[in-house]
C-alpha cells in the first residue's frame, strides 16, 4: 500500500503544484494541506484531473489558530 500512496502523493503534488502547503503519509493515510482560500480549486482539480479522478470527499478539516499567521 505504501507504494500506491507514494504514487498518489506524487500525482497530487504534480496536479496541485504550489497550492499544496504540505503532504504527509502517516499510519497508512495521506494528508494534504492546502490554504482555505484554495480548497474549492484544489478539490475541483482532484475531481477533474484524469490521472486522479477523485469521486468523493470523505473528510474536510479546518483549524483556527487565533492570531497565528502562516
Amino acid at each position: 500500500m505504501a507504494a500506491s500512496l507514494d504514487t498518489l502523493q506524487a500525482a497530487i503534488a504534480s496536479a496541485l503544484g504550489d497550492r499544496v502547503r504540505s503532504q504527509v503519509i502517516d499510519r497508512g493515510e495521506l494528508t494534504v494541506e492546502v490554504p482555505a482560500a484554495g480548497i474549492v480549486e484544489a478539490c475541483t482539480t482532484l475531481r477533474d484531473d484524469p490521472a486522479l479522478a477523485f469521486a468523493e470527499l470523505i473528510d474536510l478539516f479546518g483549524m483556527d489558530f487565533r492570531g497565528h499567521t502562516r
Side-chain angles (χ1 to χ4, degrees):
M1 168 135 71
S4 62
L5 281 178
D6 290 336
T7 301
L8 178 60
Q9 184 177 28
I12 289 173
S14 176
L16 296 181
D18 62 358
R19 291 174 284 180
V20 174
R21 280 195 179 156
S22 71
Q23 290 190 68
V24 175
I25 296 174
D26 185 31
R27 298 181 187 126
E29 293 187 358
L30 172 60
T31 300
V32 179
E33 180 183 342
V34 297
I39 191 67
V40 172
E41 182 183 10
C43 288
T44 302
T45 299
L46 294 174
R47 181 194 67 198
D48 295 345
D49 186 302
L52 297 169
F54 277 49
E56 187 174 346
L57 176 63
I58 302 284
D59 293 316
L60 179 62
F61 178 77
M63 183 176 285
D64 183 1
F65 286 105
R66 301 274 174 192
H68 177 74
T69 59
R70 195 172 217 203

